[in-house]
Amino acid sequence: MTASDSNLICAENIFASFDRNPVLKGLTLTAERGQFTSIIGPNGSGKTTLLRIMSGLLKADQGSVRFSGKKVTDYSMRERAKIFAVVQQRENNQFPFTCFETVLMGLHPHQSRFERVNESHMEIVMDAMALTGTDALSSKLISEISGGEFQRVILARAIVQQPQVLFLDEAMSELDLSARIRITKKLKKLAAEKQMTIISINHDLNLVYQFSDVVFAIYEGKLAGAGTPHDVLNPDFFKKVFSVDVEIYPGKGFLIRDEVCPK
Amino acid sequence: MQDGLKRKIEQQRKIRLLGVFISALILVVVIATMRMGAMDISISTILKIFVGKLTGKSEMLEGIKASQVAVVWEIRLPRILCGLFVGAGLAVAGVIFQSLLRNPLADPYTLGVSTGAAFGASLAILLNITSGLFYSTTLFAFIFAFLTLISVILIAQKGGGLLSSNLIISGIIVGSILSSAISFIKMLAGESVSAIVFWIMGSLASRQWQNVFTLVPIVTICTLIAWLFADDLNIMVLGDDAAKTLGVNTERTRFIFLVLGSCITAACVAVSGVIGFIGLIVPHMLRFRLTADNRMLIPLSALTGALMLSLADNATRLLSASEIPVGVLTTLLGGPFFIYIFLKRRRHTE
């Protein structure tokens, strides 16, 4: 293994199933440091399961995920929380924490039990809240804000964890268009600065096309495409994986014409 | 971010002030309660008895009637201390179970631990009546509270893991079986059933030092440990997946807090029987009025619970000569009050 290899996260030949129904059928992918990696695919194709396995929340039936050459399941929860942050699709909380308190929880893996929050911590929190545009929400209760605002707060909390890999599972699905673009751009910049890898599940394929360094497409539990957005997102691919007819405008994006009836 | 930080600092200041205020109130209530009773004893006499007993200087007690010393030291003080610590314990257990089960309407009794303790105590009372031997109701209450907790955990684990929904369901199952078992014991007790009934209703009357020595260390130590792990408890509220990604070992943390909450509940129930609603209302109200941060909520709930139960116990003594059990009073007052906050919350969230 070379030095540059050691910084990759790689999933190797992953198999997973739910109630004996296979979800992932031998999937292999690697992500490099500092890259914005997108995972796309239709509903039920196994994207979330893959993300949960890669981030160590779920054990694979077969295959392994390694970070810096070490299996992710061999890290303790605390060690893992220092290198991975995960923004999940569903998180709910009926208790009246403020947004500030919620973002502050991202410091938890970095704090010992008796350590109080100090100024350098505060700077991290401030930066994360600025990046996600949540400054103005900080004194509000999480029960008082909208779904999109809540997603931003959770994203800020993940950034506060200062992870080396940031996993996003449709983390911006409830944001409006301009916020999506703005935050995606800022995240990309942060990733480049901190050499942080972003692995993002995203249904907004135009955004994927414009901002991803690498795209992995999953279809029926297998890899259906891997490479730059331009390589992966072509008309044949759209027909096969998403059952839609598209027109590609190279380097810019695509236009969806109609659905195609699956044969 | 500045607003959030400001709110937090403001909150902490407010809660500290409130804590001091409640502590002062507790002191006033304790002194007033020391004077309450058939025998009229002046405050200076009470103070002398205190100093004399605490410093071990028997010359301080000279000139005070032995009966007065006995009433203050052996009757009134243990009851007051039991009231304070049962109130504190139930409120802290409520904070723990609400956060752990992610349910702001949970209480120390949700997992059936208290029913287990009540079953143990009923069994001891029955055995004492039928065999003529003396079995300790406290010990029996403790043993059965823990057997209940263990069965609830085992059932939840077999049913898919220590998730809050599994714990609540298995708590309800075990609790209802035990309730029937208590009814059966009552039936077997025949004419002596009133001893069991009265114990279950929850009362602080005629508690002794021996009860204080069981209660105080358990409540104090468990509350301290819970406070130390308060940050983990905050994160547990986010749910298992989120908590894991923030570095909390959810299975271990849940187990620790289950044991802490159950220890406190068992100690309280063993000493005072079943006293309802303190453990539900105190944490619930403080959480939604002041803060969800368990680091502040745990100590504040302890103080508030102690004050509320002491006041409730005094009220039962003032209301009637025959003394309504305090558990009946807290449920009678707490029930409607709870309906009120429940309905108000609904309106707020809609």
Side-chain angles (χ1 to χ4, degrees):
Chain A
M1 188 181 287
T2 63
S4 65
D5 278 344
S6 69
N7 289 331
L8 308 177
I9 175 165
C10 49
E12 244 179 58
N13 203 25
I14 302 289
F15 284 83
S17 55
F18 273 125
D19 296 331
R20 294 187 194 168
N21 294 323
V23 179
L24 298 176
K25 306 164 190 167
L27 224 146
T28 299
L29 65 85
T30 56
E32 284 177 42
R33 221 163 235 284
Q35 279 194 338
F36 195 106
T37 309
S38 292
I39 297 176
I40 58 171
N43 301 132
S45 56
K47 303 181 298 289
T48 297
T49 306
L50 175 67
L51 199 95
R52 287 169 60 80
I53 288 172
M54 287 185 80
S55 59
L57 279 171
L58 198 70
K59 281 205 170 75
D61 294 345
Q62 261 184 66
S64 65
V65 181
R66 285 168 191 278
F67 176 83
S68 286
K70 187 172 161 185
K71 279 188 186 175
V72 293
T73 44
D74 288 346
Y75 288 90
S76 75
M77 299 223 193
R78 207 183 171 80
E79 286 173 336
R80 210 159 53 211
K82 287 183 195 173
I83 48 174
F84 293 169
V86 190
V87 179
Q88 296 172 90
Q89 262 180 76
R90 278 181 296 268
E91 182 176 320
N92 68 332
N93 180 353
Q94 294 190 49
F95 287 63
F97 285 103
T98 64
C99 295
F100 175 68
E101 284 172 325
T102 307
V103 176
L104 215 56
M105 288 180 190
L107 291 172
H108 186 263
H110 297 281
Q111 273 176 307
S112 71
R113 194 163 301 291
F114 300 100
E115 194 186 356
R116 310 304 326 151
V117 176
N118 63 35
E119 266 177 40
S120 68
H121 288 147
M122 277 304 153
E123 220 163 280
I124 296 165
V125 173
M126 200 156 18
D127 290 347
M129 293 191 92
L131 192 151
T132 51
T134 47
D135 309 79
L137 302 174
S138 67
S139 69
K140 286 198 175 153
L141 298 180
I142 46 172
S143 51
E144 295 170 342
I145 60 177
S146 73
E149 289 172 326
F150 185 64
Q151 281 192 327
R152 294 174 190 224
V153 170
I154 301 301
L155 185 61
R157 187 184 75 200
I159 294 169
V160 168
Q161 274 177 267
Q162 303 154 267
Q164 297 184 43
V165 183
L166 175 62
F167 292 96
L168 307 174
D169 190 350
E170 290 177 46
M172 289 181 252
S173 58
E174 291 183 49
L175 299 189
D176 54 62
L177 262 180
S178 69
R180 251 184 239 187
I181 294 169
R182 188 166 60 244
I183 292 177
T184 305
K185 272 180 171 170
K186 286 181 180 171
L187 278 178
K188 256 200 100 156
K189 194 168 153 248
L190 186 74
E193 278 168 20
K194 308 257 178 189
Q195 285 297 292
M196 171 179 79
T197 306
I198 295 175
I199 299 179
S200 158
I201 293 177
N202 207 332
H203 278 298
D204 187 335
L205 297 180
N206 263 312
L207 219 65
V208 168
Y209 191 97
Q210 284 185 54
F211 292 104
S212 309
D213 297 312
V214 186
V215 177
F216 291 99
I218 300 178
Y219 183 57
E220 293 180 343
K222 286 184 180 156
L223 210 59
T228 64
H230 185 70
D231 291 341
V232 176
L233 299 170
N234 56 52
D236 285 343
F237 168 83
F238 275 101
K239 222 172 258 169
K240 184 186 152 214
V241 172
F242 287 101
S243 311
V244 287
D245 229 347
V246 300
E247 206 172 304
I248 304 278
Y249 296 89
K252 286 180 187 153
F254 52 86
L255 198 63
I256 297 164
R257 290 293 181 204
D258 199 3
E259 68 171 334
V260 285
C261 296
K263 282 157 209 153
Chain B
M1 189 203 80
Q2 298 306 329
D3 293 348
L5 183 63
K6 226 184 272 166
R7 176 170 176 163
K8 180 115 192 141
I9 293 168
E10 189 69 15
Q11 240 175 17
Q12 281 170 341
R13 206 178 54 89
K14 213 157 92 185
I15 285 169
R16 245 177 248 133
L17 270 175
L18 195 60
V20 172
F21 179 65
I22 293 174
S23 307
L25 272 182
I26 289 175
L27 199 67
V28 172
V29 171
V30 166
I31 291 170
T33 311
M34 289 300 295
R35 292 212 59 212
M36 264 172 71
M39 193 184 279
D40 187 35
I41 307 170
S42 70
I43 289 186
S44 64
T45 314
I46 291 168
L47 280 177
K48 269 185 208 156
I49 296 170
F50 256 80
V51 176
K53 282 285 186 183
L54 287 175
T55 55
K57 286 179 188 153
S58 50
E59 62 267 24
M60 293 283 294
L61 302 177
E62 275 168 31
I64 302 169
K65 276 188 242 156
S67 61
Q68 286 187 325
V69 177
V71 164
V72 168
W73 198 255
E74 302 297 337
I75 296 176
R76 292 186 186 170
L77 189 57
R79 179 177 189 158
I80 291 169
L81 287 174
C82 282
L84 290 176
F85 279 84
V86 168
L90 288 175
V92 171
V95 175
I96 292 174
F97 283 120
Q98 287 176 2
S99 301
L100 206 56
L101 301 174
R102 306 184 65 207
N103 185 343
L105 302 180
D107 77 352
Y109 302 148
T110 309
L111 290 184
V113 176
S114 66
T115 320
F119 173 77
S122 312
L123 189 65
I125 295 170
L126 177 74
L127 290 175
N128 292 342
I129 295 163
T130 53
S131 70
L133 294 170
F134 181 73
Y135 291 101
S136 157
T137 44
T138 308
L139 186 67
F140 266 60
F142 241 96
I143 291 171
F144 280 92
F146 268 86
L147 288 178
T148 309
L149 176 67
I150 291 165
S151 12
V152 168
I153 289 179
L154 284 179
I155 294 170
Q157 235 156 18
K158 290 270 175 201
L162 287 185
L163 304 170
S164 55
S165 52
N166 290 340
L167 282 166
I168 291 175
I169 290 168
S170 64
I172 291 172
I173 297 169
V174 175
S176 36
I177 295 171
L178 285 167
S179 295
S180 307
I182 292 174
S183 301
F184 184 59
I185 289 180
K186 281 187 197 160
M187 193 199 82
L188 290 180
E191 298 202 337
S192 322
V193 70
S194 62
I196 296 174
V197 170
F198 198 77
W199 191 88
I200 289 177
M201 280 195 289
S203 168
L204 293 162
S206 48
R207 298 303 115 141
Q208 298 155 348
W209 278 107
Q210 158 204 339
N211 299 120
V212 176
F213 293 142
T214 326
L215 184 67
V216 173
I218 293 176
V219 171
T220 312
I221 292 170
C222 292
T223 301
L224 265 176
I225 298 174
W227 182 75
L228 280 179
F229 283 80
D231 289 345
D232 300 63
L233 192 59
N234 284 342
I235 290 176
M236 290 297 285
V237 170
L238 307 176
D240 272 45
D241 274 355
K244 278 179 192 160
T245 66
L246 288 166
V248 172
N249 186 334
T250 49
E251 296 270 316
R252 197 187 64 192
T253 307
R254 182 167 288 121
F255 182 77
I256 291 173
F257 276 105
L258 274 177
V259 171
L260 290 175
S262 300
C263 271
I264 297 176
T265 308
C268 292
V269 175
V271 164
S272 66
V274 178
I275 295 177
F277 279 99
I278 297 269
L280 172 58
I281 287 179
V282 171
H284 184 98
M285 267 195 30
L286 295 177
R287 197 190 300 279
F288 284 94
R289 282 288 155 83
L290 289 168
T291 179
D293 185 354
N294 289 303
R295 173 88 48 187
M296 296 186 267
L297 199 56
I298 288 172
L300 190 67
S301 295
L303 288 174
T304 312
L307 179 68
M308 294 252 299
L309 189 58
S310 310
L311 285 175
D313 191 37
N314 285 349
T316 61
R317 294 174 60 191
L318 290 172
L319 280 174
S320 68
S322 58
E323 283 198 20
I324 312 161
V326 68
V328 173
L329 185 79
T330 56
T331 308
L332 273 180
L333 293 178
F337 186 65
F338 186 70
I339 294 172
Y340 164 73
I341 53 176
F342 175 71
L343 293 179
K344 215 176 135 207
R345 222 169 74 76
R346 275 290 295 267
R347 206 176 313 135
H348 179 71
T349 50
E350 266 167 13

